[in-house]
Amino acid sequence: MSLVSAQSALLVLADGTTYRGWSFGASGTIVGEVVFNTGMTGYQEVLTDPSYLGQIVTFTYPELGNTGVNPEDEESQRPQVRGAIARNICTRPSNWRSTQSLSDYLKQHQIPGIYGIDTRALTRKIRTVGAMNGAISTEILDPAELRSQVEQAPSMAGLNLVKEVTTKTMYEWSQATDRIWEFSPSLSSGEAVEPRYTVVAIDFGIKRNILRRLASYGCRVVVVPADTSAEEILKYNPDGIFLSNGPGDPATVTEGITTTRELLKSSKPVFGICMGHQILGLSMGAETFKLKFGHRGLNQPAGLQRQVEITSQNHGFAINPDSLADGIEITHLNLNDRTVAGLKHNNLPFFSVQYHPEASPGPHDADYLFEQFVQQMEKSKSQ
C-alpha cells in the first residue's frame, strides 16, 4: 500500500502508550482489549472466531493479507474482532482460493485496522504489562482525547459476551470436513461417515470447523443457544453434550454454568473446549482467573509427563487448579506456564481441554479428542 495515499491512524493503550501508523480496513474509532496472536497463518480464521469478540488483535507475523480471504475459511458469518493490528499489509493477494483482499474484507464489515507500527514492541509491552484496553482511530488523532475513550471501556474481566455471539435459534449441522482437507488417519478412506450419534452443542460462540469435525466423526449435531435449559436439551435424547468455545469472562455465563451442572446429573458424555472447558470446571465448583496476557497462537505445547501436543489456543482465562474438587483429574498442562489445559472426571464421562482440537488454523495433534468423545458415547450407549 502506498504511504503517499495511506490514511493516518492512531493506536492508544489504556496506560497512555501511543503508536502512530496507517489505516487499513474501515475508517472510524473502535475500543477493545488489545491482545496478540503468534500464528504465522490463519488470519481469516482468527478474525472470524467468535472467541475474539471485543478484542483488538495484534498479529505478530510481520505481513498480513498475502493470501487474501475466501468464504470457505470463515469460522462464523462475519469478522468478530473489534480491530486488527499489523506490521505490514499486502493489498494484492496471491492465492488461487482468494476472492477478496483482507483490507477490502475488513472495510466491507466495518472493522478498522492499523499497520506500520512496531508490533514487536507492542507485543513485548503486552507480555510485560498485560493485556489492556486500547483504541484505534482514523478520526481522533490526539492521544489524550482518544485515551479518554479507552478509559470509559469496561474490563474484559466480569464481561459476559456470549449473549452477543450465541445462536438465536436451534439449528442442525451435518456438513463434515471437505474430503480434500480430511487429515484424520481413521477417516482417511474418504468415505462419508453416517450419523450414529446425536450431539447437542451448546453455542457459547462455536466455530464452524468444530461442527465439521463432529460431523466427520458421525455426529448429528443439534446446536442450541447458550441459555437453553437442561430440560430442553435432554428432550433431544442426546448421546453426548458438547460445550463450545466463546468470548469474555466464563464466570459471568451463569446460565451456561447452571445448565451444565444439571446436565452432569444425567451422566451423559460431556466434552468441553476452551470456554466450554472453563464452564465445565465452574459447574463442578472450580474457580477461574484472568491470565496476564492469555494464550493465543498455533504452537502452544500442552501435555503431561511424556506426551506433548502442539495446540491451537485462544483464551484469556484459566481454571485455578487449587479449586478443583475431588475426583477431577488434570490431564494436560500448558507447558509454557503450567496452567490447567485439560480435565477429566475419574468416574464419570466428562472431559475437557483448554485448547482447540479442530485446529483451524493450527496443527492436528489433538484431533483424536473428537474420536475419544465418540468412543465415550458408544460406550455409554452400550451400557
Side-chain angles (χ1 to χ4, degrees):
M1 182 180 291
S2 170
L3 297 185
V4 175
S5 60
Q7 183 180 18
S8 295
L10 179 67
L11 167 66
V12 174
L13 303 182
D15 68 354
T17 307
T18 300
Y19 301 85
R20 294 189 181 273
W22 294 274
S23 169
F24 75 100
S27 300
T29 302
I30 52 93
V31 180
E33 183 184 46
V34 181
V35 299
F36 65 86
N37 182 291
T38 59
M40 295 177 66
T41 186
Y43 55 80
Q44 186 178 355
E45 291 93 327
V46 169
L47 293 168
T48 55
D49 179 351
S51 296
Y52 280 108
L53 187 74
Q55 295 177 324
I56 302 171
V57 180
T58 306
F59 290 88
T60 63
Y61 191 70
E63 185 161 277
L64 220 58
N66 301 66
T67 55
V69 298
N70 67 84
E72 290 78 21
D73 287 347
E74 293 188 321
E75 291 293 347
S76 61
Q77 63 184 1
R78 68 181 310 276
Q80 302 289 344
V81 299
R82 289 272 173 84
I85 302 171
R87 178 69 184 94
N88 193 38
I89 290 295
C90 173
T91 58
R92 296 183 178 179
S94 177
N95 185 276
W96 65 275
R97 300 173 68 228
S98 175
T99 59
Q100 193 177 20
S101 74
L102 173 61
S103 186
D104 287 345
Y105 176 72
L106 293 180
K107 188 178 297 183
Q108 173 190 338
H109 292 284
Q110 296 299 302
I111 306 294
I114 184 172
Y115 78 99
I117 73 167
D118 188 344
T119 51
R120 294 173 300 177
L122 175 57
T123 300
R124 288 173 66 89
K125 173 81 174 181
I126 296 170
R127 285 183 59 89
T128 302
V129 180
M132 67 182 82
N133 285 337
I136 296 173
S137 182
T138 60
E139 306 163 319
I140 304 171
L141 300 181
D142 176 64
E145 184 181 352
L146 189 56
R147 185 182 180 185
S148 68
Q149 294 207 14
V150 176
E151 291 171 344
Q152 298 173 33
S155 169
M156 188 62 71
L159 204 56
N160 184 347
L161 296 175
V162 167
K163 56 189 175 184
E164 297 184 34
V165 293
T166 187
T167 181
K168 304 304 180 188
T169 58
M170 180 278 292
Y171 65 94
E172 291 194 26
W173 183 278
S174 59
Q175 181 189 28
T177 300
D178 193 299
R179 190 171 301 180
I180 65 171
W181 304 117
E182 185 52 65
F183 49 82
S184 170
S186 62
L187 303 174
S188 58
S189 66
E191 296 179 3
V193 179
E194 292 299 319
R196 297 184 55 198
Y197 312 96
T198 297
V199 172
V200 172
I202 304 179
D203 179 13
F204 300 116
I206 201 163
K207 294 171 65 178
R208 288 173 177 170
N209 272 300
I210 292 173
L211 296 170
R212 291 188 182 108
R213 293 317 291 157
L214 288 168
S216 293
Y217 279 99
C219 299
R220 165 188 172 244
V221 188
V222 178
V223 186
V224 299
D227 60 358
T228 306
S229 68
E231 181 182 8
E232 285 297 313
I233 289 171
L234 293 175
K235 286 181 180 178
Y236 293 103
N237 192 28
D239 298 302
I241 311 294
F242 182 82
L243 309 176
S244 85
N245 61 296
D249 186 341
T252 66
V253 191
T254 53
E255 290 176 319
I257 296 168
T258 299
T259 296
T260 302
R261 186 179 297 120
E262 290 300 311
L263 289 170
L264 294 181
K265 298 175 182 178
S266 71
S267 295
K268 290 182 179 291
V270 177
F271 178 23
I273 74 159
C274 204
M275 175 169 279
H277 157 82
Q278 297 157 355
I279 285 179
L280 182 61
L282 288 162
S283 72
M284 294 188 287
E287 299 172 351
T288 54
F289 65 96
K290 194 175 190 302
L291 294 165
K292 184 176 182 180
F293 50 81
H295 304 147
R296 297 175 181 89
L298 317 181
N299 58 350
Q300 297 277 331
L304 206 61
Q305 298 175 341
R306 299 180 182 181
Q307 186 73 27
V308 179
E309 300 164 18
I310 303 302
T311 67
S312 179
Q313 299 199 15
N314 167 24
H315 62 104
F317 293 82
I319 289 176
N320 179 356
D322 297 331
S323 66
L324 293 170
D326 292 340
I328 303 173
E329 178 183 342
I330 296 174
T331 59
H332 299 76
L333 294 175
N334 183 299
L335 298 179
N336 285 332
D337 61 9
R338 311 298 289 183
T339 52
V340 176
L343 298 173
K344 74 171 184 178
H345 197 282
N346 287 332
N347 302 312
L348 299 169
F350 315 145
F351 74 104
S352 61
V353 289
Q354 183 60 84
Y355 45 91
H356 286 243
E358 90 293 342
S360 294
H364 301 145
D365 295 30
D367 188 70
Y368 73 91
L369 291 166
F370 291 104
E371 189 169 9
Q372 181 175 310
F373 183 41
V374 166
Q375 290 169 351
Q376 285 199 348
M377 289 189 287
E378 182 63 34
K379 182 179 179 181
S380 180
K381 286 179 70 171
S382 64
Q383 291 177 345

